[in-house]
């Protein structure tokens, strides 16, 4: 029953009209392949594939879940066939390098496809999604032999990948891991330990699974500086590169989760499994961050996809469902009641979804352009600039888009009323699926520490200044534009305040580092609202410029949505700004023992 | 694995220290029964019953759900036995009138018990919970014969009740119902139609089920003024009042829902079922509101119970789980890592839960005291005052406590990280269970219209003024108290602003009624934050007064939590105040056709 249309018109607006992707692509090596015609054809085919193949499997996958039988995991009906079509369609190799069998198209294109996949079937999308992270780690840190053996298979989609980090007693704090790697005589290692929460750890979609595993060598220093990365295939490749002997890695059990039921979340047991070191000994955490940064942007895109899908279905329902009359007089007097889209509060919820989804798309594509430059840019200074800006934006993309994604999917349930709570309509599934995005690949709290502690304060705000300077320039350039006044004035103020707030926290943090943790989540949310405000102001300018043609309704809707965002959502910065300034005392005053005195006896 | 201790110490603080319930009870008729000793004994026994009997059935009930077989509904294992113990313990009759077999204790006591039930097993609690609403409707509107036949059975708990309002095409808009009631020769009616979302509509806990059904008589006027209320028993009572002939009402199917799996949410088919008119013809909506107001407070209590339970388990986990070192230096150097309660952001989440749960408890008990006065007060003027104040607070209790309840249970998942997403710990179940509370008995949007449109603007803000005057007096009385300055100053400002914002919206609404809907949800949330600020200031005063004895740690924790609420949560009023003032234009500007132009082709 749920439907989805890839937002192709909106993507054209963001990619072509706002960010000049055609020009950007033409400047990338091999970019002559990514002509507007080719890009459009890919997006249209992606829209068809996700709508016709993935979407129909989404609710069934949720109901059926995965099944562990005799060590094998059976994915829900249709998942395997859909994966076959995905591989045959050449999707896994879209953005990969030609030398490993890839099509060499820009990474940003793959990210657009990701949005469509996440919007239609998040649980399914995690199988190929995890492969990308694994491929990236091997591409950056693997030996030539490892690339030849594993990377090509991942790029073709014949094999899939995983990231094996978490253990029962440690998730965030990877320094505590217990999985051991003992050197064998043949340069391989013998890996033993238990990993939990391994997405796509075992399944029936592909003939082999390439686990990237964090473990400790016998001589490893304590803590996170003593972690090494290993590649541990489910089947050890033969000399000809085909799956050979079964390795000592097995799925012990599947987790029962709130959502993403179609994805197998595995407890993985490594029992003297053969593994091969990736990169240097004890330098595994750096390799893992390569995977994790890709994955974090990917999770932000999950939030985006889910909110777009929720929005589209909410809108259809709001236009269809008749209930009550408009307070200002009947709007559809010929019907038994008015469609609920006439009610201002229903519109408030729809516009919240729309403003976050479309704003989120701008943020993702802004980041995607940086990803292209980091990966393929020809100018070193430009690459360095893109890398630092992307580092700054990654925790915002991840945490802000998943926080507001959860809100937006919940508004979807709310618009449906009681019907939203029933499985049939698919609205509650999106909430359950969205709930994990605030947690995995680092919770919102961890992203916030990364943003404020590492990305902002560690370089004395230099990277942040690059971004706020860009906003400042935009505000200056538009300062005489009367149509934009309603956006530029508040944006300019917020942009200045962002720097001041940062400085204030930085000063406090010099006295006590806990001030960083005390302000971090409010700081992250504040930053997200300001970043989106900048992008919505740019969208408004673009839309305003384009008025006067035959798509005025589209551009006016953009301006209206920008206005809604500024008037209705941006005021939340007031709450975050106040809360982040009160300091740690409000959080640290209470003794741990005193928290529970109301119920403990 | 989840645990729960009834917050008896905190209840004593709220009931005895803040609101003088002992004095209040002594002034109620029959209040000499509700001595502090009896009240304590009841609360302790309630704490034991809910912890030992209901809590262990909560996760199993969620996993098992209800089963419809041959028209009968089987509830999860243990539910029936728990209900038997509940009835044998005399719990259903606690607050009912002695003339119908009740124990005549104050209603507020039953509400305290409700919190414990909702905290331990919401799905189970809905079976007896629905009976209360049905009993209330019969008590207020039923004939003497109906009371003798049905009310006594409901009070004893031998039979349970339902509210049959919603139909497939109408939930909020009950004027659209299609269920018909045709008069028979014997003064009974023949009821035909389909009702959906009927909680506890069919089950195996009790020998009979008393449905209260909205239907239309043949001569009914159009719309909500043409609705009548009928009592339709599953088994028609014999002359001696025992279940006799099976009536034409059957469960057609069970809904598959996001949560509250242990409760049977039924499609109920009425096929020429015998029904009996309750109250006057065409006046059913008024009767239904009697049930609904009780039920709305009840749903607010559900939000409270769920957040308290989530808080307690989050706290235990945060003290136990070791992960990372405190940014300001190791706090538990003897352990592998620090317990996560040392991290400021974890404390922010815990304190958010604590401040909302304890503040919510104050709000519920403030309302509960009013309920006692409305039901049993001896002074007409006092009764009238209590009734109007309760009317004002009911939508706030319902919507605010379920909105923040959802947030707080989600913080619970967040504190557990990935483990919160796994069924095992019970944290995600509370989120799924809490999600329905924002929807049923009127969504947050509907509560907000009730608050702003009916309760505030319809009497030109008179009732609101009664409440803000009370706050004003409190602020004046404490204006010289230096310890309270940090609370009284902001509270006093907010209290003034509350009136000004109301006036501003009222003026705009005179031009266009849609201004009410455009401001309503922000207005409701704002009102909730201010109401809780008032109660937290009172709690702070009480705690400050009590300092110097041997419970200083408890009272200091109260002061710290009050401070946290003021510094960290109250700033959200800034966002709501701004958003509600921008007017309807930001919501109504866009044409319905323009919403989907980004994806429709």
């Amino acid at each position: 029953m749920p439907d989805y249309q890839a937002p192709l018109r909106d993507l054209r607006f963001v990619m072509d009209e706002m960010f000049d992707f055609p020009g950007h692509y033409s400047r990338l090596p091999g970019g002559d392949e990514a002509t507007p015609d080719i890009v459009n054809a890919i997006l249209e085919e992606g829209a068809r594939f996700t709508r016709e193949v993935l979407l129909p499997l989404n609710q069934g996958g949720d109901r059926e879940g995965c099944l562990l039988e005799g060590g094998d995991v059976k994915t829900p009906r249709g998942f395997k066939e859909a994966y076959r079509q995905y591989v045959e369609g050449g999707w896994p190799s879209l953005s990969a390098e030609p030398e490993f069998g890839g099509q060499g198209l820009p990474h940003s294109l793959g990210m657009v496809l990701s949005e469509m996949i996440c919007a239609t079937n998040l649980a399914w999308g995690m199988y190929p999604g995890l492969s990308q992270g694994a491929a990236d780690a091997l591409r950056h840190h693997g030996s030539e032999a490892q690339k030849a053996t594993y990377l090509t298979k991942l790029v073709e989609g014949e094999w899939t990948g995983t990231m094996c980090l978490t253990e029962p007693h440690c998730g965030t704090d990877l320094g505590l891991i217990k999985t051991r790697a003992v050197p064998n005589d043949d340069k391989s290692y013998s890996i033993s330990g238990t990993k939990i929460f391994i997405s796509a750890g075992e399944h029936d979609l592909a003939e082999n699974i390439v686990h990237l595993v964090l473990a400790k060598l016998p001589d490893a220093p304590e803590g996170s500086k003593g972690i090494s990365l290993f590649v541990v295939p489910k089947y050890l490749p033969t000399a000809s590169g085909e799956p050979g002997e079964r390795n000592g890695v097995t799925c012990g059990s599947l987790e029962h989760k709130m959502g993403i039921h179609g994805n197998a979340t595995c407890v993985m047991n490594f029992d003297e499994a053969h593994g091969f070191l990736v990169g240097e000994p004890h330098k595994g955490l750096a390799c893992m961050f390569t995977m994790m940064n890709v994955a974090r942007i990917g999770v932000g895109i999950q939030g985006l996809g889910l909110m777009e899908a929720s929005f589209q279905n909410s809108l259809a329902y709001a236009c269809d469902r008749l209930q009550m009359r408009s307070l200002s007089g009947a709007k559809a007097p010929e019907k038994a009641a008015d469609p609920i889209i006439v009610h201002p509060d229903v519109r408030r919820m729809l516009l919240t979804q729309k403003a976050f989804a479309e704003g989120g798309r701008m943020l993702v594509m802004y980041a995607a352009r940086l990803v292209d430059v980091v990966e393929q840019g020809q100018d070193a200074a430009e690459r360095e600039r893109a890398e630092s800006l992307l580092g700054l934006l990654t925790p915002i993309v991840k945490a802000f888009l998943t926080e507001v994604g959860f809100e937006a999917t919940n508004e979807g349930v709310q618009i449906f009323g009681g019907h939203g709570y029933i499985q049939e309509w698919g609205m509650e599934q999106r909430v359950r699926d969205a709930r994990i995005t605030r947690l995995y690949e680092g919770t919102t709290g961890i992203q916030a520490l990364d943003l404020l502690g590492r990305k902002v304060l560690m370089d004395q705000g230099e990277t942040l200044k690059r971004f706020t300077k860009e906003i400042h320039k935009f505000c200056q350039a538009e300062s005489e534009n009367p149509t934009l006044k309603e956006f530029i004035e508040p944006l300019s103020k917020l942009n200045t305040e962002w720097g001041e707030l940062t400085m204030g926290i930085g000063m406090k943090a010099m006295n006590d580092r806990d001030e960083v943790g005390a302000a971090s989540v409010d700081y992250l949310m504040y930053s997200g609202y300001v970043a989106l405000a900048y992008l919505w102001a740019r969208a408004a300018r673009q839309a305003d410029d384009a008025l006067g043609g035959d798509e005025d309704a589209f551009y006016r809707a953009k301006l209206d949505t920008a206005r809604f965002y500024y008037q209705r959502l941006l005021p939340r910065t007031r709450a975050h700004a106040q809360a982040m300034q009160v300091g740690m005392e409000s959080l640290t005053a209470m003794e741990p023992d005193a928290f529970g005195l109301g119920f403990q006896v």
Side-chain angles (χ1 to χ4, degrees), chain A residues 325-343:
Chain A
R325 291 294 176 193
S326 164
L327 286 181
S328 56
K331 298 288 187 288
E334 74 288 2
K335 293 181 177 162
D338 289 337
I340 60 172
I341 196 171
V342 308
H343 304 308

Side-chain angles (χ1 to χ4, degrees), chain A residues 57-67 74-78 261-262:
Chain A
L57 301 176
N58 193 33
Q59 285 186 291
D62 180 60
R63 267 192 290 270
E64 219 180 301
C66 293
L67 203 67
K74 202 167 163 295
T75 56
R77 200 164 326 194
H261 292 163

Side-chain angles (χ1 to χ4, degrees), chain A residues 111 114-115 118 297-306 364 397 401:
Chain A
M111 292 165 75
S114 272
E115 186 200 322
C118 298
I297 298 267
V299 175
I301 295 174
Q302 294 177 356
L304 168 59
L306 290 168
V364 164
V397 169
L401 292 189

Side-chain angles (χ1 to χ4, degrees), chain A residues 206-225:
Chain A
E207 60 178 27
N208 202 1
I209 301 174
V210 181
H211 302 287
L212 285 169
V213 184
L214 289 188
K216 289 195 167 183
L217 292 165
D219 61 342
E222 283 292 296
S224 61
K225 291 194 170 61

Side-chain angles (χ1 to χ4, degrees), chain A residues 258 406 409-410 413 427-435:
Chain A
M258 185 183 193
F406 189 65
T409 53
N410 268 296
V413 167
M427 302 306 287
E428 60 86 35
Q429 183 189 343
R430 262 178 232 108
V431 171
R432 288 185 290 106
D433 287 356
R435 188 63 188 84

Side-chain angles (χ1 to χ4, degrees), chain A residues 8-234:
Chain A
L8 295 179
R9 178 66 190 91
D10 199 53
L11 277 164
R12 273 208 329 272
F13 176 76
V14 177
M15 294 177 75
D16 299 354
E17 302 175 48
M18 280 182 74
F19 295 141
D20 183 26
F21 267 73
H24 160 69
Y25 283 164
S26 71
R27 285 187 297 275
L28 293 177
D32 42 343
E33 298 283 319
T35 63
D37 281 355
I38 300 237
V39 168
N40 278 341
I42 289 171
L43 296 189
E44 276 172 24
E45 181 54 21
R48 191 204 60 75
F49 174 75
T50 52
R51 182 170 197 234
E52 292 177 12
V53 178
L54 297 185
L55 181 65
L57 301 176
N58 193 33
Q59 285 186 291
D62 180 60
R63 267 192 290 270
E64 219 180 301
C66 293
L67 203 67
L68 177 65
E69 273 179 343
D72 294 327
V73 169
K74 202 167 163 295
T75 56
R77 200 164 326 194
F79 271 41
K80 187 173 176 166
E81 169 59 20
Y83 186 74
R84 195 188 57 75
Q85 290 185 43
Y86 176 78
V87 172
E88 279 183 9
W91 295 109
S93 62
L94 196 69
S95 313
E97 287 150 312
E99 54 180 308
F100 304 113
Q103 300 170 54
L105 287 162
H107 281 69
S108 52
L109 256 188
M111 292 165 75
V112 177
L113 189 77
S114 272
E115 186 200 322
M116 300 181 195
I117 293 174
C118 298
T120 47
N121 199 328
L122 179 61
W124 183 91
M126 288 171 66
Y127 294 103
L130 267 296
S131 295
Q132 274 178 33
D136 251 53
L138 287 170
R139 193 156 58 90
H140 285 284
H141 307 286
S143 65
E144 288 312 308
Q146 286 169 347
K147 288 182 196 177
T149 308
Y150 300 105
L151 183 54
T152 49
K153 292 289 192 182
L154 288 170
V155 162
E156 287 165 359
E158 278 197 48
W159 300 358
T160 66
T162 75
M163 292 164 56
C164 297
L165 291 71
T166 304
E167 299 185 5
H169 61 289
C170 65
T172 299
D173 196 353
L174 291 170
L176 300 176
I177 63 168
K178 292 180 181 164
T179 298
R180 318 303 298 186
V182 180
N184 298 326
D185 296 337
D186 60 356
K187 287 193 177 169
S188 75
Y189 293 80
S190 185
I191 315 277
S192 298
T194 299
K195 297 284 180 179
I196 64 168
F197 299 165
I198 307 309
S199 301
E202 180 60 58
H203 58 78
D204 54 7
L205 302 189
E207 60 178 27
N208 202 1
I209 301 174
V210 181
H211 302 287
L212 285 169
V213 184
L214 289 188
K216 289 195 167 183
L217 292 165
D219 61 342
E222 283 292 296
S224 61
K225 291 194 170 61
I227 299 174
S228 305
L229 182 67
F230 299 86
V231 57
V232 183
K234 175 178 169 185

Side-chain angles (χ1 to χ4, degrees), chain A residues 215-534:
Chain A
K216 289 195 167 183
L217 292 165
D219 61 342
E222 283 292 296
S224 61
K225 291 194 170 61
I227 299 174
S228 305
L229 182 67
F230 299 86
V231 57
V232 183
K234 175 178 169 185
Y235 292 101
L236 291 160
T238 62
S240 65
E242 294 311 302
E245 194 188 334
R246 185 73 161 84
N247 203 354
V249 47
T250 50
C251 173
S253 63
L254 295 178
E255 302 287 0
H256 296 280
K257 311 180 298 288
M258 185 183 193
I260 48 167
H261 292 163
N263 198 272
T265 305
C266 304
V267 174
M268 296 304 295
N269 296 320
F270 294 83
D271 188 12
E272 301 192 355
H274 278 278
F276 309 95
L277 185 68
V278 178
E280 302 284 303
H282 315 319
K283 304 272 189 211
L285 209 60
C287 308
M288 217 62 192
F289 267 111
T290 305
M291 283 163 70
M292 212 130 62
N293 280 330
V294 175
R296 284 175 173 181
I297 298 267
V299 175
I301 295 174
Q302 294 177 356
L304 168 59
L306 290 168
M307 47 186 166
E308 174 68 31
S310 184
F311 166 60
Q312 292 191 12
N313 287 281
S314 304
L315 175 59
Y317 189 79
C319 292
D320 189 54
R321 172 81 170 174
L322 308 176
Q323 208 78 173
M324 309 299 281
R325 291 294 176 193
S326 164
L327 286 181
S328 56
K331 298 288 187 288
E334 74 288 2
K335 293 181 177 162
D338 289 337
I340 60 172
I341 196 171
V342 308
H343 304 308
D345 190 59
V346 172
R347 286 172 162 251
R348 179 187 60 77
M349 295 190 279
L350 285 170
L351 285 164
T352 300
Q353 295 182 302
K354 186 175 166 69
F356 280 142
E358 295 180 4
R361 186 167 300 117
M362 298 173 207
L363 181 61
V364 164
M365 293 318 295
Y366 185 99
R369 213 172 180 283
L370 297 174
V371 170
D372 287 340
V373 175
V374 169
E375 293 290 343
Q376 299 184 275
Q378 298 303 292
D379 180 84
E382 202 194 358
R383 235 176 19 242
E384 187 275 330
R385 186 184 182 280
E387 195 151 9
S388 70
L389 208 48
L390 183 62
L392 178 78
L393 292 179
T394 296
I396 299 177
V397 169
K398 198 283 180 182
F400 184 76
L401 292 189
T402 58
E403 289 291 325
V404 302
F406 189 65
E407 177 182 344
T409 53
N410 268 296
E411 294 292 18
V413 167
Q414 204 69 14
I415 290 164
F416 274 70
H419 296 273
Y421 198 67
I422 303 300
Q423 288 175 8
E424 180 183 356
W425 292 90
M427 302 306 287
E428 60 86 35
Q429 183 189 343
R430 262 178 232 108
V431 171
R432 288 185 290 106
D433 287 356
R435 188 63 188 84
I436 189 62
T437 64
R438 297 168 59 191
L439 296 163
Y440 61 14
E441 307 303 338
T443 62
T444 299
I446 292 301
Q447 303 301 323
L449 281 181
D450 180 49
L451 174 67
L452 181 56
R454 290 187 68 229
K455 305 296 173 56
V456 171
L457 295 180
M458 220 181 255
D459 73 355
Q460 277 78 42
E462 281 309 311
T463 306
L464 176 66
K465 264 182 223 149
R466 284 185 173 178
F467 192 56
T468 55
K469 196 176 277 178
E470 179 180 321
I471 298 176
H472 178 68
K473 277 188 190 158
F474 171 75
C475 290
Q476 280 207 313
E478 302 296 333
S479 63
E480 304 296 314
N481 185 337
T483 327
L484 286 198
K485 193 164 182 273
E486 60 183 308
F487 307 115
I488 298 301
E489 277 189 8
L491 176 61
S492 182
K493 264 190 216 156
L494 282 168
N495 197 40
T496 307
E497 185 187 56
W498 197 1
E500 292 163 355
L501 289 168
T502 305
M503 189 105 73
I505 299 165
M507 299 293 282
K508 278 192 206 155
M510 291 199 296
N511 289 325
D512 194 321
R513 293 280 298 155
D514 270 337
E515 293 284 2
V516 176
S520 54
V521 167
D522 280 300
Y523 184 85
L524 181 138
M525 294 305 292
Y526 178 95
S527 305
Y529 283 111
V530 178
L532 244 59
Y534 165 51

